[in-house]
Amino acid sequence: MIIESSIARFGQYCIFMGRVFSVPQKWRVFGRKFIQEVGKLGLDSIPLTIVISIFIGAVICIQMQLNMTNPIMPAYSTGLATRDILLLEFSSAVLCLILSGKVGSNIASEIGTMRVTEQIDALEIMGINSACFLVLPKILAFMVFIPVLVIFSIATGLFGGWIIAAFTDLISVSRYIYGIQTMFIEWYVWYTIIKAIVFSVIITSVASYCGYYVKGGALEVGKASTNAVVSSYILILLFDLILTILLMQ
Amino acid sequence: MIEVKDIEKSFDGVKVLKGVSATFETGKINLIIGQSGSGKTVLMKSLVGLVRPEHGAILYDGRDLMTMDATQLRQLRTEIGMLFQGSALFDSETVLGNVEFPLMMYTRMTPAERRDRARFCLERVGLKGADEKFPSEISGGMQKRVAIARAIALNPKYLFCDEPNSGLDPKTSILIDELLYDITHEYGMTTVINTHDMNSVLGIGENIIFINKGHREWVGNKDLIYTTTNEALSDFVFATDLFQKVKAYVLEHTHQ
Ligand SMILES: Nc1ncnc2c1ncn2[C@@H]1O[C@H](COP(=O)(O)OP(=O)(O)OP(=O)(O)O)[C@@H](O)[C@H]1O
Ligand SMILES: [Mg+2]
């Protein structure tokens, strides 16, 4: 039963995506919506990204320093570990998990409300492909903007570590800076951006799908937005594993 | 002309439309009347393809909506204007933005021309000075009128209105009826209206289809309705004392 309904939902999702990825009817209107979505989904997520990254960066730095007190460990280990954790996992997977709570529930409730108040039907009646009109700008906007968020997250995360180095006696600033500059592998940056782009598509498309097919009223809109977040979590974790296997070998 | 042939629709095994056939004529006000819950909205949504009937045909001047693919349906819908029972205005747009929306999608008008056309439509529904408000900031009756203005902005060939005057005061209600009557005749539209407002039925009903328990019970017009022998219909239309008196008066004066 569960398998059957999951396959049915996956099929419905694929058909929905087919409708989303079609040519917009009016490019000017599409452009305007795209810019709006960049603001709403992207720019508005910057404060959250910065706050979370600074704190996590600081905590990672403290943890690494406290747990690597063994004199055998080279001087750069704390900085290097902080940098690589941010680069490899935090600023893509964990950041996207957190953002899916904000962005995903926002999208699902917005589209779900439009569904239950017949605004989507009103678009359809005008001969507009409502899936493409509403969802494509969101997916593309978030996809284009997510690398910016990732870069912000890495930078502010490292800054969080620096704050610990500068204002506590745990580790010296020069040692921390030396650490984060040691053995830098450029590919890690690309790896994390590729992952984040995939996750961003998961977040926006799954949330849109959950909102678009709401049936009922306000109660169901709430459920849809919870579903959207939970489904995105699971898919992000799954794809994190798959992409890590594919990209890091 | 829109012809509906024998359409059936059920929800969760309960039949709502049990084989309805009807003809909606061009250049006339076609009313669908019936009790609350009789299936008027379902019938109207079937007409425009938002609800898929299990059986039957829906012919728009010969083109069958039931066999159209997505592209053909989208093409047909550019000729359709619709007012939903719950207005369905876009929350994120202002009143003016809502009315301009179809113009922006389907015409090459400049922003100034669009604004003029939208203001003109809003004036026709008797709404002035609410241009920059958002749907959540205006009353239900005002929302309805904005939705009517949006539906007529492109001068559609086929106009569908689900209860255009529910929630309006009698005076505004008559204004809307007159507006719908005028534009239908002026542009030769095929206008289909769902209503339980007896003023509209007796005022502008040029072609009336009475739906009862999922069947089409009666077809006629506002003059034939006084002399109908159909019990369900006369119970429905002349339910109040006032309309009983109107009926008696009309019958008395036409016999002389
Ligand atoms: N999406 C749906 N799912 C299940 N049942 C539905 C659905 N839409 C309509 N119905 C059922 O169909 C019947 C007819 O509903 P409809 O909305 O067409 O009534 P109506 O004639 O428009 O009434 P009103 O005058 O109150 O608007 C109702 O019994 C309703 O419960
Ligand atoms: Mg109804």
Side-chain angles (χ1 to χ4, degrees), chain A residues 215, chain B residues 9-12 14-17 32-45 51 85 162-163 194-196 211:
Chain A
K215 279 203 180 80
Chain B
K9 175 69 193 170
S10 37
F11 289 105
D12 312 317
V14 180
K15 267 203 178 164
V16 176
L17 299 178
I32 302 173
I33 62 173
Q35 281 180 357
S36 188
S38 58
K40 300 184 296 296
T41 299
V42 174
L43 176 59
M44 184 169 276
K45 286 192 175 171
V51 164
Q85 193 162 356
D162 200 348
E163 315 219 352
N194 276 356
T195 187
H196 2 93
I211 304 283

Side-chain angles (χ1 to χ4, degrees), chain B residues 15 22 73 83 88-89 93 99 107 139 149 153 162 171 222 230:
Chain B
K15 267 203 178 164
L73 187 61
L83 163 72
L89 295 177
E93 304 271 351
V99 184
T107 66
S139 75
D162 200 348
K171 238 177 146 175
K222 64 181 188 273
N230 186 315

Side-chain angles (χ1 to χ4, degrees), chain A residues 89-166:
Chain A
E89 270 312 296
F90 176 77
S91 294
S92 53
V94 179
L95 180 72
C96 283
L97 284 174
I98 293 166
L99 285 180
S100 79
K102 176 182 181 291
V103 173
S105 65
N106 173 304
I107 292 177
S109 55
E110 179 188 326
I111 294 187
T113 305
M114 290 190 76
R115 165 61 76 194
V116 301
T117 55
E118 297 181 313
Q119 293 176 50
I120 291 182
D121 288 337
L123 284 171
E124 287 287 328
I125 276 301
M126 293 176 190
I128 293 164
N129 177 350
S130 58
C132 172
F133 180 84
L134 293 173
V135 179
L136 190 61
K138 290 188 195 297
I139 294 184
L140 293 184
F142 199 48
M143 208 172 115
V144 167
F145 203 79
I146 197 82
V148 178
L149 292 177
V150 169
I151 302 295
F152 257 100
S153 167
I154 297 170
T156 50
L158 291 176
F159 175 67
W162 178 85
I163 292 176
I164 296 302

Side-chain angles (χ1 to χ4, degrees), chain A residues 93 96-97 100 199 202-203 232-240:
Chain A
C96 283
L97 284 174
S100 79
F199 299 155
I202 291 175
I203 294 173
S232 316
Y233 281 173
I234 295 169
L235 287 170
I236 287 173
L237 293 173
L238 183 70
F239 273 83
D240 193 22

